[in-house]
Amino acid sequence: MNREGSISLTELQGLIRDKIYEALPGSFWVIAEIAEMKVQSAGHCYLELTGSETPGGRVTARARATIWASKYRSLSTFFNASTGIPLRAGITILFRATVEYHELYGLSLNISEIDPAYTAGDMALRREAIIRRLTAEGVLTMNRGVPLTPYPRNIAVISSSKAAGYQDFINQLINNPYGYVFQTVLFEAVMQGETTAASVTEALDRIAEEPGRFDVVAIIRGGGSTTDLSWFDSYEIAFHVTQFPLPVLTGIGHDKDQSVTDMAAWRALKTPTAVAGFITERTLDCENRIIGMAETLATSVTRALDAANEQLSSFQNRVAANARLRVSVSSERLGFYQEKLHRSSVNTLTRSEAVTARTIDSLYRSAKNMLMKADAITGKFEDSLRHLDPAGVLKRGFTLTSRNGIIIQSAADLEPGDTIKTHFAEGTASSKVEEIIKKR
């Protein structure tokens, strides 16, 4: 193998570098999306850039880029002041850069200038694209059709527990001037950065698992710049809000602009405090409506009672007049019937006395005859009783036989050898039974 003409890797890399510098002299304006970005303690900024044929499409190119510390501070400050957002991953930038090639680190781009107007326009285009998509799908205002209870007492809060806006929200609810009591449950979420969309949608999904527990959802952050607002120009968050079964209130904390999430919400308010104030004022409005209905009801009842009293008074007057007339007529009839009854009673009593006298006389004679008959019958009974008296029977020659004080009525009741007594009208005789002859 002929190894003449071989070169070292370092020499090859140097040739590549020289050819690149010859082919690509000067600087170029380049459009790319920041995929990753790191700032070292020394102040140098290192970026991973990607390119695609269409915005948000498949990545077709990738390159490393550097903003040296001498440029980074002024570039980032100017970019933030112009766009309201810092340089960060996820945004598309238009920048001026020179192509650099290093034997150890390979190809990279050295950024010397960034056009903030392009990024602002690109973000606005993306935002408009999200709004057009939600509108085309017919869901942008869907959450506004979800009914909100007049007294939203149970509130699910999506926020960071460390956010000042969350504390302002809770304090405003607790210290409301009307003494209303609200129940809040915090669903912790990241409210800025690349994980905002995933964190907020996950919190919404957890709340949706028990929708009957809550009356309303509040997405609150509070404070910050337009940067914070841009994280909520998210199709994922906005679509979740449009499909949510509960009314969603937002208080992300921006006075001038609305995020896409704000546009999809049931109601967008400027600050977390304003969200708490809205809930409190809605409850007050509910109480006032109840009081108004109670007053209207009381007025209606009072009027009905007054009308009823007037009608009752009219009825009473007519009833009293009618009653007096009826009493007068009845009194006249009563006097007539009383006189008639008196005469009838006198006649009836006179006839009754005559009938009673005849009846008593007849009953007296009947009773006298019955007493006489009873005396005759009683005499016959006395004669019969005297005739049947044992003493009288014994005097007529009959006797009674007894054994041990018991009257013997039949010879069959005796046994030979029994001692018996025979009772006569005058005295008794004892004897012993020797033979018993039974009657055939």
Side-chain angles (χ1 to χ4, degrees):
M1 177 180 293
N2 184 7
R3 297 181 180 177
E4 294 181 2
S6 61
I7 61 175
S8 67
L9 177 61
T10 302
E11 291 173 326
L12 177 61
Q13 291 280 51
L15 289 174
I16 294 173
R17 179 195 62 200
D18 293 340
K19 292 297 181 182
I20 289 175
Y21 287 163
E22 290 176 6
L24 302 172
S27 60
F28 301 86
W29 282 100
V30 183
I31 298 172
E33 180 177 340
I34 302 176
E36 294 182 15
M37 176 177 166
K38 296 180 181 178
V39 179
Q40 290 187 340
S41 57
H44 303 307
C45 178
Y46 297 95
L47 305 97
E48 181 77 19
L49 302 175
T50 59
S52 59
E53 295 178 356
T54 58
R58 182 175 61 87
V59 174
T60 56
R62 191 180 296 274
R64 292 183 296 108
T66 305
I67 307 175
W68 301 117
S70 59
K71 285 282 186 180
Y72 175 71
R73 181 182 297 277
S74 59
L75 284 180
S76 63
T77 302
F78 177 69
F79 184 87
N80 195 349
S82 300
T83 63
I85 63 173
L87 280 173
R88 58 174 173 80
I91 64 173
T92 301
I93 59 175
L94 173 62
F95 59 92
R96 182 192 290 272
T98 57
V99 179
E100 303 287 343
Y101 192 85
H102 193 277
E103 289 83 347
L104 291 177
Y105 305 112
L107 183 70
S108 66
L109 301 176
N110 182 16
I111 298 175
S112 60
E113 188 177 349
I114 298 176
D115 183 1
Y118 179 86
T119 302
D122 179 72
M123 293 182 66
L125 289 175
R126 292 191 182 194
R127 182 176 183 275
E128 290 301 320
I130 294 173
I131 294 172
R132 285 197 303 269
R133 180 179 176 184
L134 293 171
T135 303
E137 292 172 349
V139 298
L140 182 60
T141 60
M142 185 176 292
N143 191 253
R144 299 176 199 172
V146 179
L148 175 60
T149 176
Y151 176 17
R153 179 171 175 267
N154 299 295
I155 307 163
V157 184
I158 298 177
S159 183
S160 170
S161 59
K162 299 178 182 179
Y166 171 69
Q167 298 300 329
D168 293 340
F169 175 80
I170 295 299
N171 291 335
Q172 183 75 9
L173 284 182
I174 293 176
N175 301 314
N176 71 85
Y178 312 108
Y180 301 137
V181 177
F182 301 97
Q183 302 295 329
T184 61
V185 178
L186 174 64
F187 290 82
E188 189 82 28
V190 176
M191 303 306 287
Q192 69 178 43
E194 298 177 13
T195 59
T196 299
S199 182
V200 172
T201 54
E202 180 186 356
L204 286 169
D205 289 338
R206 282 186 288 148
I207 298 170
E209 292 176 357
E210 43 183 351
R213 182 182 176 187
F214 301 104
D215 301 317
V216 68
V217 178
I219 301 177
I220 57 176
R221 186 191 186 283
S225 62
T226 308
T227 306
D228 307 317
L229 183 67
S230 66
W231 295 113
F232 290 91
D233 284 331
S234 162
Y235 174 82
E236 290 75 14
I237 297 177
F239 184 78
H240 267 68
V241 170
T242 64
Q243 303 299 303
F244 209 70
L246 294 173
V248 177
L249 306 177
T250 57
I252 300 174
H254 297 272
D255 295 335
K256 296 181 180 179
D257 301 316
Q258 273 194 329
S259 68
V260 179
T261 302
D262 289 326
M263 298 176 67
W266 193 92
R267 176 70 65 86
L269 297 120
K270 295 179 179 180
T271 63
T273 301
V275 175
F278 170 79
I279 293 173
T280 302
E281 292 301 320
R282 184 173 179 86
T283 304
L284 175 62
D285 182 62
C286 175
E287 182 183 13
N288 289 335
R289 288 202 304 272
I290 293 174
I291 293 174
M293 288 188 291
E295 292 175 349
T296 301
L297 179 60
T299 301
S300 299
V301 171
T302 301
R303 291 176 179 174
L305 289 175
D306 291 342
N309 287 331
E310 291 179 3
Q311 189 175 14
L312 179 60
S313 177
S314 175
F315 286 156
Q316 286 177 337
N317 293 333
R318 281 185 285 177
V319 168
N322 192 25
R324 286 192 295 270
L325 177 61
R326 290 180 175 272
V327 168
S328 177
V329 173
S330 298
S331 297
E332 293 179 1
R333 290 182 178 178
L334 182 61
F336 171 76
Y337 288 130
Q338 186 177 9
E339 180 64 25
K340 185 176 180 180
L341 179 61
H342 177 71
R343 292 194 300 268
S344 177
S345 298
V346 171
N347 295 334
T348 301
L349 286 174
T350 303
R351 291 194 297 270
S352 296
E353 289 176 354
V355 172
T356 300
R358 290 196 298 271
T359 302
I360 292 174
D361 183 63
S362 176
L363 289 175
Y364 174 76
R365 289 195 298 270
S366 296
K368 186 176 181 180
N369 292 334
M370 291 177 68
L371 287 173
M372 292 176 65
K373 291 179 180 179
D375 288 341
I377 293 172
T378 300
K380 292 180 180 180
F381 282 154
E382 290 178 351
D383 292 342
S384 297
L385 288 174
R386 283 193 298 273
H387 181 71
L388 294 175
D389 183 25
V393 173
L394 291 177
K395 288 181 179 181
R396 291 198 299 273
F398 294 96
T399 62
L400 292 174
T401 302
S402 66
R403 182 188 59 190
N404 298 326
I406 299 172
I407 302 300
I408 301 301
Q409 297 179 353
S410 172
D413 295 334
L414 298 174
E415 296 290 339
D418 286 344
T419 300
I420 59 176
K421 284 186 177 181
T422 302
H423 299 269
F424 300 93
E426 300 291 340
T428 61
S430 297
S431 59
K432 182 177 289 186
V433 178
E434 293 183 356
E435 182 182 2
I436 298 172
I437 301 173
K438 297 181 179 180
K439 184 179 180 181
R440 298 185 180 184

